[in-house]
Coordinates of all heavy atoms in Angstrom, one line a residue:
V97 N 24.2 -182.2 -17.3 CA 23.9 -180.8 -17.2 C 23.6 -180.4 -15.8 O 24.2 -179.5 -15.2 CB 22.7 -180.4 -18.1 CG1 22.2 -179.0 -17.9 CG2 23.0 -180.7 -19.6
L98 N 22.8 -181.2 -15.1 CA 22.5 -181.0 -13.7 C 23.7 -181.1 -12.9 O 24.0 -180.3 -12.0 CB 21.4 -182.0 -13.2 CG 21.0 -181.8 -11.8 CD1 20.4 -180.4 -11.5 CD2 19.9 -182.9 -11.4
G99 N 24.5 -182.2 -13.2 CA 25.7 -182.4 -12.4 C 26.7 -181.3 -12.6 O 27.4 -180.9 -11.6
F100 N 26.8 -180.7 -13.8 CA 27.7 -179.6 -14.0 C 27.4 -178.4 -13.2 O 28.2 -177.8 -12.6 CB 27.7 -179.3 -15.5 CG 28.5 -178.1 -15.9 CD1 29.9 -178.0 -15.8 CD2 27.8 -176.9 -16.3 CE1 30.6 -176.9 -16.1 CE2 28.5 -175.7 -16.6 CZ 29.9 -175.7 -16.5
Y101 N 26.1 -178.0 -13.2 CA 25.7 -176.8 -12.5 C 25.8 -177.1 -10.9 O 26.1 -176.1 -10.2 CB 24.3 -176.4 -12.9 CG 24.2 -175.7 -14.2 CD1 23.6 -176.3 -15.3 CD2 24.9 -174.5 -14.4 CE1 23.6 -175.6 -16.5 CE2 24.9 -173.9 -15.6 CZ 24.3 -174.4 -16.7 OH 24.3 -173.8 -17.9
L102 N 25.5 -178.3 -10.5 CA 25.7 -178.6 -9.1 C 27.2 -178.5 -8.7 O 27.6 -178.0 -7.6 CB 25.1 -180.0 -8.7 CG 23.6 -180.1 -8.7 CD1 23.2 -181.5 -8.5 CD2 23.0 -179.2 -7.7
L103 N 28.0 -179.0 -9.6 CA 29.5 -178.9 -9.4 C 29.9 -177.5 -9.3 O 30.7 -177.1 -8.4 CB 30.2 -179.6 -10.6 CG 31.7 -179.6 -10.5 CD1 32.2 -180.4 -9.3 CD2 32.3 -180.2 -11.8
L104 N 29.4 -176.6 -10.1 CA 29.7 -175.2 -10.1 C 29.2 -174.6 -8.7 O 29.9 -173.8 -8.1 CB 29.1 -174.4 -11.2 CG 29.7 -174.6 -12.6 CD1 29.0 -173.8 -13.6 CD2 31.2 -174.4 -12.6
A105 N 28.0 -174.9 -8.4 CA 27.4 -174.4 -7.1 C 28.1 -174.8 -5.9 O 28.4 -174.0 -5.0 CB 25.9 -174.8 -7.1
F106 N 28.5 -176.1 -5.9 CA 29.2 -176.6 -4.7 C 30.7 -176.4 -4.6 O 31.3 -176.6 -3.6 CB 29.0 -178.1 -4.6 CG 27.5 -178.6 -4.4 CD1 27.1 -179.9 -4.8 CD2 26.6 -177.7 -4.0 CE1 25.8 -180.3 -4.6 CE2 25.2 -178.0 -3.9 CZ 24.9 -179.3 -4.1
S107 N 31.2 -175.9 -5.7 CA 32.7 -175.7 -5.8 C 33.2 -174.7 -4.7 O 32.5 -173.6 -4.5 CB 33.1 -175.1 -7.1 OG 34.4 -174.7 -7.2
P108 N 34.2 -175.0 -4.0 CA 34.8 -174.1 -2.9 C 35.3 -172.8 -3.5 O 35.6 -171.9 -2.7 CB 35.9 -175.0 -2.3 CG 36.3 -176.0 -3.3 CD 35.0 -176.3 -4.1
K109 N 35.3 -172.7 -4.8 CA 35.8 -171.4 -5.4 C 34.6 -170.5 -5.7 O 34.9 -169.3 -6.0 CB 36.5 -171.7 -6.7 CG 37.8 -172.5 -6.5 CD 38.6 -172.7 -7.9 CE 39.9 -173.4 -7.7 NZ 40.6 -173.6 -8.9
N110 N 33.4 -171.0 -5.6 CA 32.2 -170.1 -5.8 C 31.6 -169.7 -4.5 O 31.9 -170.2 -3.4 CB 31.2 -170.8 -6.6 CG 31.6 -171.0 -8.1 OD1 32.4 -170.1 -8.6 ND2 31.2 -172.0 -8.8
A111 N 30.7 -168.6 -4.6 CA 30.2 -168.0 -3.3 C 29.5 -169.0 -2.4 O 29.7 -169.0 -1.2 CB 29.2 -166.9 -3.8
F112 N 28.6 -169.9 -3.1 CA 27.8 -170.8 -2.2 C 28.7 -171.8 -1.6 O 28.6 -172.2 -0.4 CB 26.8 -171.5 -3.1 CG 25.9 -172.5 -2.3 CD1 25.1 -172.0 -1.3 CD2 25.9 -173.8 -2.6 CE1 24.3 -172.9 -0.6 CE2 25.1 -174.7 -1.9 CZ 24.3 -174.2 -0.9
G113 N 29.7 -172.3 -2.3 CA 30.7 -173.3 -1.8 C 31.5 -172.7 -0.7 O 31.8 -173.3 0.4
I114 N 31.9 -171.4 -0.8 CA 32.7 -170.7 0.2 C 31.9 -170.5 1.5 O 32.3 -170.7 2.6 CB 33.2 -169.4 -0.3 CG1 34.2 -169.6 -1.5 CG2 33.8 -168.5 0.8 CD1 34.6 -168.3 -2.2
W115 N 30.6 -170.2 1.3 CA 29.7 -170.0 2.4 C 29.5 -171.3 3.2 O 29.5 -171.3 4.4 CB 28.3 -169.5 1.9 CG 27.3 -169.2 3.0 CD1 27.2 -168.2 3.8 CD2 26.2 -170.1 3.3 NE1 26.1 -168.3 4.7 CE2 25.5 -169.5 4.3 CE3 25.8 -171.3 2.8 CZ2 24.4 -170.1 4.9 CZ3 24.6 -171.9 3.3 CH2 24.0 -171.3 4.4
L116 N 29.3 -172.4 2.5 CA 29.1 -173.7 3.1 C 30.4 -174.0 3.9 O 30.3 -174.5 5.1 CB 28.9 -174.8 2.1 CG 27.5 -174.8 1.4 CD1 27.4 -175.9 0.4 CD2 26.4 -175.1 2.5
H117 N 31.5 -173.8 3.4 CA 32.8 -174.1 4.0 C 33.0 -173.3 5.3 O 33.4 -173.8 6.3 CB 34.0 -174.0 3.1 CG 35.3 -174.4 3.6 ND1 35.5 -175.7 3.9 CD2 36.4 -173.7 4.0 CE1 36.8 -175.8 4.5 NE2 37.3 -174.6 4.5
R118 N 32.7 -172.0 5.1 CA 33.0 -171.1 6.3 C 32.0 -171.3 7.4 O 32.4 -171.2 8.6 CB 32.9 -169.6 5.8 CG 34.1 -169.2 5.0 CD 33.9 -167.7 4.5 NE 35.1 -167.3 3.8 CZ 35.1 -166.1 3.2 NH1 34.1 -165.2 3.2 NH2 36.2 -165.7 2.5
N119 N 30.7 -171.5 7.1 CA 29.7 -171.6 8.1 C 29.4 -173.0 8.6 O 29.0 -173.1 9.8 CB 28.4 -170.9 7.6 CG 28.5 -169.5 7.3 OD1 28.4 -168.7 8.2 ND2 28.7 -169.1 6.1
F120 N 29.6 -174.0 7.8 CA 29.3 -175.3 8.2 C 30.4 -176.3 8.1 O 30.3 -177.5 8.4 CB 28.1 -175.8 7.4 CG 26.9 -175.0 7.5 CD1 26.5 -174.1 6.5 CD2 26.1 -175.1 8.7 CE1 25.4 -173.3 6.6 CE2 24.9 -174.3 8.8 CZ 24.6 -173.4 7.8
D121 N 31.6 -175.8 7.6 CA 32.8 -176.6 7.4 C 32.4 -177.8 6.4 O 32.8 -178.9 6.7 CB 33.4 -177.1 8.7 CG 34.8 -177.7 8.5 OD1 35.5 -177.3 7.6 OD2 35.1 -178.6 9.3
L122 N 31.6 -177.5 5.4 CA 31.2 -178.5 4.5 C 31.9 -178.4 3.1 O 31.9 -177.3 2.6 CB 29.7 -178.4 4.2 CG 28.7 -179.2 5.2 CD1 27.3 -178.9 4.8 CD2 29.0 -180.6 5.2
Q123 N 32.4 -179.5 2.6 CA 32.9 -179.5 1.2 C 32.1 -180.6 0.5 O 32.3 -181.8 0.8 CB 34.4 -179.7 1.2 CG 34.9 -179.8 -0.3 CD 36.4 -179.9 -0.3 OE1 37.1 -179.5 0.6 NE2 36.9 -180.5 -1.4
L124 N 31.2 -180.1 -0.4 CA 30.3 -181.1 -1.0 C 30.9 -181.7 -2.3 O 30.5 -182.8 -2.7 CB 29.0 -180.4 -1.3 CG 28.2 -179.9 -0.1 CD1 26.9 -179.3 -0.6 CD2 27.9 -181.0 0.8
V125 N 31.9 -181.1 -2.9 CA 32.5 -181.6 -4.1 C 33.4 -182.7 -3.7 O 34.2 -182.6 -2.8 CB 33.2 -180.5 -4.9 CG1 34.0 -181.1 -6.1 CG2 32.3 -179.4 -5.3
F126 N 33.3 -183.9 -4.5 CA 34.2 -185.0 -4.2 C 34.0 -185.6 -2.8 O 35.0 -185.9 -2.1 CB 35.6 -184.8 -4.6 CG 35.8 -184.2 -6.0 CD1 36.5 -183.1 -6.2 CD2 35.3 -184.9 -7.0 CE1 36.7 -182.6 -7.5 CE2 35.4 -184.4 -8.3 CZ 36.1 -183.3 -8.6
S127 N 32.8 -185.6 -2.3 CA 32.5 -186.2 -1.0 C 31.2 -186.9 -1.0 O 30.3 -186.7 -1.9 CB 32.5 -185.1 0.1 OG 31.3 -184.3 -0.1
F128 N 31.0 -187.8 -0.1 CA 29.8 -188.6 0.0 C 28.6 -187.7 0.3 O 27.5 -187.9 -0.2 CB 29.9 -189.7 1.0 CG 28.7 -190.6 1.1 CD1 28.5 -191.6 0.1 CD2 27.7 -190.5 2.1 CE1 27.4 -192.4 0.2 CE2 26.6 -191.3 2.2 CZ 26.4 -192.3 1.2
K129 N 28.8 -186.7 1.2 CA 27.7 -185.7 1.5 C 27.3 -185.0 0.2 O 26.1 -184.8 0.1 CB 28.2 -184.7 2.5 CG 28.6 -185.3 3.9 CD 29.1 -184.2 4.8 CE 29.5 -184.8 6.2 NZ 30.1 -183.8 7.1
G130 N 28.2 -184.7 -0.6 CA 27.8 -184.1 -1.9 C 27.0 -185.0 -2.7 O 26.0 -184.5 -3.4
L131 N 27.3 -186.3 -2.7 CA 26.5 -187.3 -3.5 C 25.1 -187.3 -3.0 O 24.1 -187.4 -3.7 CB 27.2 -188.7 -3.4 CG 28.5 -188.9 -4.1 CD1 28.8 -190.4 -4.0 CD2 28.5 -188.5 -5.5
V132 N 25.0 -187.2 -1.6 CA 23.6 -187.3 -1.0 C 22.8 -186.1 -1.5 O 21.6 -186.2 -1.9 CB 23.7 -187.4 0.5 CG1 22.3 -187.2 1.1 CG2 24.3 -188.7 0.9
I133 N 23.4 -184.9 -1.4 CA 22.6 -183.7 -1.8 C 22.3 -183.7 -3.2 O 21.1 -183.4 -3.6 CB 23.5 -182.4 -1.5 CG1 23.8 -182.3 0.0 CG2 22.7 -181.2 -1.9 CD1 22.7 -182.2 0.9
A134 N 23.2 -184.1 -4.1 CA 23.0 -184.2 -5.5 C 21.9 -185.3 -5.8 O 21.0 -185.0 -6.7 CB 24.2 -184.5 -6.3
S135 N 21.9 -186.4 -5.1 CA 20.9 -187.5 -5.3 C 19.6 -187.0 -4.9 O 18.6 -187.4 -5.6 CB 21.4 -188.7 -4.6 OG 22.6 -189.2 -5.1
I136 N 19.5 -186.2 -3.8 CA 18.2 -185.7 -3.4 C 17.6 -184.8 -4.5 O 16.4 -185.0 -4.8 CB 18.3 -185.0 -2.1 CG1 18.6 -186.0 -0.9 CG2 17.1 -184.1 -1.8 CD1 18.9 -185.3 0.4
I137 N 18.4 -183.9 -5.0 CA 17.9 -183.0 -6.0 C 17.5 -183.8 -7.3 O 16.4 -183.6 -7.9 CB 18.9 -182.0 -6.4 CG1 19.2 -181.1 -5.2 CG2 18.5 -181.1 -7.6 CD1 20.4 -180.2 -5.3
Y138 N 18.3 -184.8 -7.7 CA 18.1 -185.5 -8.9 C 16.9 -186.5 -8.8 O 16.2 -186.7 -9.8 CB 19.4 -186.3 -9.3 CG 19.4 -186.9 -10.7 CD1 18.9 -186.1 -11.8 CD2 19.7 -188.2 -10.9 CE1 18.9 -186.7 -13.1 CE2 19.7 -188.7 -12.2 CZ 19.3 -188.0 -13.3 OH 19.3 -188.5 -14.5
S139 N 16.7 -187.0 -7.7 CA 15.6 -188.0 -7.5 C 14.3 -187.4 -7.0 O 13.4 -188.2 -6.8 CB 16.1 -189.1 -6.6 OG 17.2 -189.9 -7.1
L140 N 14.3 -186.1 -6.7 CA 13.1 -185.5 -6.1 C 11.9 -185.7 -6.9 O 10.8 -186.1 -6.3 CB 13.4 -184.0 -6.0 CG 12.4 -183.2 -5.1 CD1 12.4 -183.7 -3.7 CD2 12.8 -181.7 -5.1
P141 N 11.8 -185.6 -8.2 CA 10.6 -185.9 -8.9 C 10.1 -187.3 -8.8 O 8.9 -187.5 -8.9 CB 10.9 -185.5 -10.4 CG 12.4 -185.6 -10.5 CD 12.9 -185.2 -9.1
F142 N 11.0 -188.2 -8.7 CA 10.6 -189.7 -8.5 C 9.8 -189.9 -7.2 O 9.0 -190.8 -7.2 CB 11.8 -190.6 -8.7 CG 12.4 -190.6 -10.0 CD1 13.3 -189.7 -10.4 CD2 11.9 -191.5 -11.0 CE1 13.8 -189.7 -11.7 CE2 12.5 -191.6 -12.3 CZ 13.4 -190.6 -12.6
M143 N 10.1 -189.1 -6.2 CA 9.4 -189.2 -5.0 C 8.1 -188.4 -5.0 O 7.1 -188.9 -4.5 CB 10.3 -188.7 -3.8 CG 9.7 -188.8 -2.4 SD 9.3 -190.4 -1.9 CE 10.9 -191.1 -1.5
I144 N 8.2 -187.2 -5.5 CA 7.0 -186.3 -5.4 C 5.9 -186.7 -6.3 O 4.7 -186.6 -5.9 CB 7.5 -184.9 -5.6 CG1 8.3 -184.4 -4.4 CG2 6.3 -183.9 -5.9 CD1 8.8 -183.0 -4.5
S145 N 6.2 -187.0 -7.6 CA 5.1 -187.2 -8.6 C 4.1 -188.2 -8.2 O 2.9 -187.9 -8.2 CB 5.8 -187.6 -9.9 OG 6.5 -186.5 -10.4
P146 N 4.5 -189.5 -7.8 CA 3.4 -190.5 -7.4 C 2.6 -190.0 -6.2 O 1.4 -190.3 -6.1 CB 4.2 -191.8 -7.2 CG 5.6 -191.5 -7.8 CD 5.8 -190.1 -7.7
I147 N 3.3 -189.4 -5.2 CA 2.6 -189.0 -4.0 C 1.7 -187.9 -4.2 O 0.5 -187.8 -3.7 CB 3.6 -188.7 -2.9 CG1 4.5 -189.9 -2.6 CG2 2.9 -188.2 -1.6 CD1 5.6 -189.7 -1.6
K148 N 2.1 -186.9 -5.1 CA 1.3 -185.8 -5.4 C 0.0 -186.2 -6.1 O -1.1 -185.8 -5.8 CB 2.0 -184.8 -6.3 CG 1.2 -183.6 -6.8 CD 2.0 -182.8 -7.8 CE 1.1 -181.7 -8.4 NZ 0.2 -182.3 -9.4
A149 N 0.2 -187.2 -7.1 CA -1.0 -187.7 -7.8 C -2.0 -188.4 -6.9 O -3.2 -188.3 -7.0 CB -0.5 -188.7 -8.9
A150 N -1.4 -189.1 -5.9 CA -2.3 -189.9 -4.9 C -3.1 -188.9 -4.1 O -4.3 -189.0 -3.8 CB -1.4 -190.8 -4.1
F151 N -2.4 -187.8 -3.6 CA -3.1 -186.8 -2.8 C -4.2 -186.1 -3.6 O -5.3 -185.9 -3.1 CB -2.1 -185.8 -2.3 CG -1.4 -186.1 -1.0 CD1 0.0 -186.0 -0.9 CD2 -2.0 -186.6 0.1 CE1 0.7 -186.3 0.3 CE2 -1.4 -186.9 1.3 CZ 0.0 -186.8 1.4
A152 N -3.9 -185.8 -4.8 CA -4.8 -185.1 -5.7 C -6.1 -185.9 -6.0 O -7.1 -185.4 -6.2 CB -4.1 -184.7 -7.0
H153 N -5.9 -187.3 -6.0 CA -7.1 -188.1 -6.3 C -7.9 -188.5 -5.1 O -8.9 -189.2 -5.2 CB -6.6 -189.4 -7.0 CG -6.2 -189.1 -8.5 ND1 -5.0 -188.7 -8.9 CD2 -7.0 -189.2 -9.6 CE1 -5.0 -188.6 -10.2 NE2 -6.2 -188.9 -10.7
L154 N -7.4 -188.1 -3.9 CA -8.2 -188.5 -2.7 C -9.4 -187.6 -2.6 O -9.3 -186.4 -2.8 CB -7.4 -188.2 -1.4 CG -6.3 -189.2 -1.0 CD1 -5.6 -188.8 0.2 CD2 -7.0 -190.6 -0.8
P155 N -10.6 -188.1 -2.4 CA -11.8 -187.3 -2.3 C -11.7 -186.3 -1.2 O -11.2 -186.6 -0.1 CB -12.9 -188.3 -2.1 CG -12.4 -189.6 -2.4 CD -10.9 -189.5 -2.2
Q156 N -12.2 -185.1 -1.4 CA -12.2 -184.0 -0.4 C -13.1 -184.5 0.8 O -12.9 -184.0 2.0 CB -12.7 -182.7 -0.9 CG -11.8 -182.1 -1.9 CD -10.5 -181.5 -1.2 OE1 -10.6 -181.1 -0.1 NE2 -9.4 -181.6 -1.9
S157 N -14.0 -185.3 0.6 CA -14.9 -185.8 1.6 C -14.2 -186.5 2.8 O -14.7 -186.5 3.9 CB -16.0 -186.7 1.1 OG -15.4 -187.8 0.4
I158 N -13.1 -187.1 2.5 CA -12.3 -187.8 3.5 C -11.8 -186.8 4.5 O -12.0 -187.0 5.7 CB -11.1 -188.6 2.9 CG1 -11.6 -189.7 2.0 CG2 -10.2 -189.1 4.0 CD1 -10.6 -190.5 1.3
S159 N -11.2 -185.7 4.0 CA -10.7 -184.7 5.0 C -11.8 -184.0 5.7 O -11.8 -183.8 6.9 CB -9.9 -183.6 4.2 OG -8.8 -184.2 3.6
Q160 N -12.9 -183.7 5.0 CA -14.1 -183.0 5.6 C -14.7 -183.9 6.7 O -15.1 -183.3 7.8 CB -15.1 -182.7 4.5 CG -14.6 -181.6 3.6 CD -15.5 -181.5 2.3 OE1 -16.5 -182.2 2.2 NE2 -15.1 -180.5 1.4
A161 N -14.8 -185.2 6.5 CA -15.4 -186.1 7.5 C -14.5 -186.1 8.7 O -15.0 -186.1 9.8 CB -15.5 -187.5 6.9

Side-chain angles (χ1 to χ4, degrees):
V97 173
L98 180 60
F100 172 70
Y101 284 115
L102 289 177
L103 180 63
L104 289 182
F106 296 161
S107 172
K109 294 183 179 181
N110 286 333
F112 182 62
I114 293 171
W115 180 79
L116 286 175
H117 184 69
R118 285 180 179 174
N119 294 278
F120 302 100
D121 194 26
L122 274 178
Q123 181 176 330
L124 298 181
V125 177
F126 306 127
S127 71
F128 185 77
K129 293 176 183 177
L131 290 189
V132 172
I133 301 298
S135 296
I136 286 173
I137 295 171
Y138 190 47
S139 295
L140 193 59
F142 290 87
M143 178 65 73
I144 287 180
S145 294
I147 299 176
K148 174 183 174 288
F151 275 130
H153 283 88
L154 283 178
Q156 289 292 325
S157 57
I158 294 178
S159 299
Q160 293 168 357

